[in-house]
Each structure stands twice: as C-alpha cells, then as structure tokens.
Amino acid sequence: MLQIKNLHASVEDKEILKGINLEIKAGEVHAIMGPNGAGKSTLSSIIAGNENYEVSQGEIFLDGEEISEFAPEERAHKGVFLSFQYPVEIPGVSVTNFIKTAINESRKANGKEEMPANEMLKLIREKAELLEMDRKFLSRSLNEGFSGGEKKRNEIFQMAMLEPKIAILDETDSGLDIDALRIVANGVNKLKNENNAVLVITHYQRLLDYIVPDFVHVLMDGKIVKSGTAALALELEEKGYDWIKNELN
Ligand SMILES: Nc1ncnc2c1ncn2[C@@H]1O[C@H](COP(=O)(O)OP(=O)(O)OP(=O)(O)O)[C@@H](O)[C@H]1O
Ligand SMILES: [Mg+2]
C-alpha cells in the first residue's frame, strides 16, 4: 500500500531524514516511536505532500504509484490522510461544511458525483456517533476554540468520514483524556480493515494497548534504526532509547 524507499529530506539545508525505508501493506498497523526531533512529524508531513521540505532523494509509492511529485490535495484524493500533531483552526468554516467540501472534492477528483445531501447527513451522524462526538461540535467553526482533545477527536472524525487508504496519526494521543483516548482508539480500530492501513506516531506505549500495531519502528536522527513487533514498544517504555544507541555503536 505505502512504500518509502531511501527517503532523504531537508529543510533550510539541514538534513532531517537520512534514508528512510518503510513498507506498509494493506491491513497493517505500524507505529513509529522515537525521541523528540528525530523526524517523525517531518516524515508524516512529507508523505502527505508538505512542500516546505526538500526531498533530495528517494521515492514514495501509494499502491505502486509514485506520488512524490503530487500536490497535497492529489495525495489526499488518492487516500492519504494525515492527522496533525497541531491541528489548524479555520474560523468561519463549520466542521460539517469542511467535511462536506472535502468529501465532494475527493469524489470529484475520482470522477464521482457529489454525495447526495441526505446520504451525507446520514454518514455524518453515523461517524459522529462512532466517535461519541457531541452534535454541537458539528456546527462550530473548525477547531476554533476547540480544546486540545476536541481537536484530536475531530480529526479522527474527519478520517472516519474520508475513509482513507492510509491514515497517519501524528501524536493523536497527546492531550486526550483517558476516556477520549479509548474512544478515539476504538474509532480507529473500527475503521481498520483489510483494504486500508494505519501509521501511528506516538511517544507512549499506552495508545498501543488500544491500537495494537503489527510493527513498531524506532526513528532516531532521521533513520529507522530498529523495527520489531508490539513487544518493542514495551521494551522502549521500560528502557528508553539509550540502549538502542548503545546497540548501534
Ligand atoms: N520548518 C523547519 N525549519 C527548521 N527546522 C525544522 C523544520 N521542520 C522540522 N525541523 C527540524 O527537524 C527536526 C525534526 O523535527 P520533527 O518535527 O520531524 O521531529 P519529531 O520526531 O516529530 O519530534 P517530536 O517528537 O518532538 O514531535 C527537528 O530538529 C526540527 O527542529
Ligand atoms: Mg512530531
């Protein structure tokens, strides 16, 4: 589904990603962990097509198609979804209108008709319920005045509506209270199927109790230095990152 080959990227002449290789197959959940500043958010931004980074080498494939040159919108239409570490506020655009527009733009790009209004309404209700979202959020301006946890939950709502092929969740767990963490994680689990994949970036094992990864990767200083199963996350929680550094030396 998603294949990253020898990805090198820099910002303002500083190399941040130093040769990332990653393959995520349909039906899989991968987790990336790693110290602050390792390049996790950079990697997710680059997959989504953020143009502030210069990709100097490497390729990104989605379902076998090279997408490195595609604009962020095109990637979204092809099924790449990124939940940001820091979601943006869009005053004057309601949660409902934002998602309606996003869905219809995506349908248009894929040669489909607009979704009929009643179908859209039904879908919105269904997904809001899945994530136990308060209805009043749906008419509020996107993220404006939302608490940290509300923003995160709203992003998962957008993901639920858009049904992406690959969902990248960058620290979706940070700032969520215990109940919200469970609700959001269960939402992700319910959306998971054999035809999509999830990449979660997290600092804590806790989220991975709910969203159980098939593979865990450690990103350090722009490289994936270790990969393993869910057990690796437990080991990291216990030992921190230094033992990996020692192992590498
Ligand atoms: N636009 C930018 N300008 C300058 N430096 C940048 C920019 N974007 C990222 N960096 C640098 O790249 C490095 C990687 O940042 P990134 O946000 O990818 O880290 P991260 O692994 O997500 O960290 P965290 O766990 O703290 O979220 C950092 O040193 C950061 O300062
Ligand atoms: Mg980050």
Side-chain angles (χ1 to χ4, degrees):
M1 172 143 293
L2 183 74
Q3 229 181 334
I4 298 171
K5 289 185 185 167
N6 191 30
L7 187 69
H8 289 253
S10 51
V11 65
E12 288 161 11
D13 292 332
K14 180 185 165 208
E15 192 172 40
I16 297 170
L17 300 184
K18 305 173 179 173
I20 300 275
N21 291 291
L22 183 66
E23 183 170 4
I24 302 181
K25 299 204 174 92
E28 290 179 349
V29 176
H30 288 237
I32 294 185
M33 302 180 81
N36 293 132
K40 303 179 298 297
S41 295
T42 301
L43 175 63
S44 45
S45 297
I46 289 173
I47 298 170
N50 184 319
E51 282 144 3
N52 296 325
Y53 300 93
E54 202 214 330
V55 174
S56 51
Q57 248 191 87
E59 288 141 350
I60 304 171
F61 297 90
L62 182 71
D63 281 340
E65 183 179 27
E66 231 281 67
I67 60 165
S68 308
E69 300 296 319
F70 291 1
E73 301 77 22
E74 271 179 282
R75 300 186 200 204
H77 296 154
K78 287 187 180 290
V80 177
F81 177 88
L82 172 61
S83 151
F84 294 97
Q85 190 170 3
Y86 305 105
V88 291
E89 302 187 0
I90 311 186
V93 176
S94 72
V95 170
T96 304
N97 279 332
F98 180 82
I99 198 67
K100 274 185 191 165
T101 307
I103 285 190
N104 282 328
E105 272 179 2
S106 167
R107 287 174 72 105
K108 199 167 144 195
N110 288 303
K112 291 191 203 154
E113 305 259 298
E114 285 202 352
M115 187 183 281
N118 56 348
E119 202 179 308
M120 181 76 79
L121 200 64
K122 191 166 156 264
L123 194 66
I124 290 175
R125 285 208 181 122
E126 193 185 299
K127 303 297 185 183
E129 208 161 290
L130 176 78
L131 293 163
E132 299 179 34
M133 276 177 79
D134 194 326
R135 285 278 184 83
K136 68 173 189 278
F137 281 114
L138 299 172
S139 52
R140 279 176 63 178
S141 283
L142 190 70
N143 288 326
E144 202 182 17
F146 281 24
S147 78
E150 288 164 357
K151 284 183 188 169
K152 299 282 161 137
R153 195 186 298 214
N154 179 60
E155 288 226 298
I156 302 301
F157 167 70
Q158 288 173 19
M159 171 191 150
M161 289 292 296
L162 291 164
E163 298 182 339
K165 279 187 192 159
I166 172 93
I168 306 166
L169 310 178
D170 190 0
E171 292 193 30
T172 299
D173 51 338
S174 72
L176 286 181
D177 68 41
I178 300 158
D179 289 336
L181 179 72
R182 186 179 41 77
I183 292 162
V184 162
N186 286 341
V188 172
N189 288 334
K190 283 182 200 155
L191 299 165
K192 189 77 233 15
N193 63 43
E194 285 308 306
N195 302 313
N196 60 23
V198 180
L199 176 60
V200 289
I201 294 167
T202 182
H203 283 296
Y204 304 104
Q205 209 281 324
R206 174 183 74 161
L207 178 71
L208 307 180
D209 282 336
Y210 295 106
I211 305 175
V212 180
D214 299 293
F215 298 97
V216 174
H217 309 280
V218 181
L219 184 64
M220 277 172 111
D221 194 22
K223 281 189 223 132
I224 290 177
V225 294
K226 198 173 180 69
S227 296
T229 60
L232 178 57
L234 288 166
E235 202 172 358
L236 290 170
E237 184 110 316
E238 192 189 323
K239 302 192 201 164
Y241 292 111
D242 280 351
W243 65 281
I244 296 182
K245 278 187 209 150
N246 295 336
E247 221 179 56
L248 293 172
N249 290 330

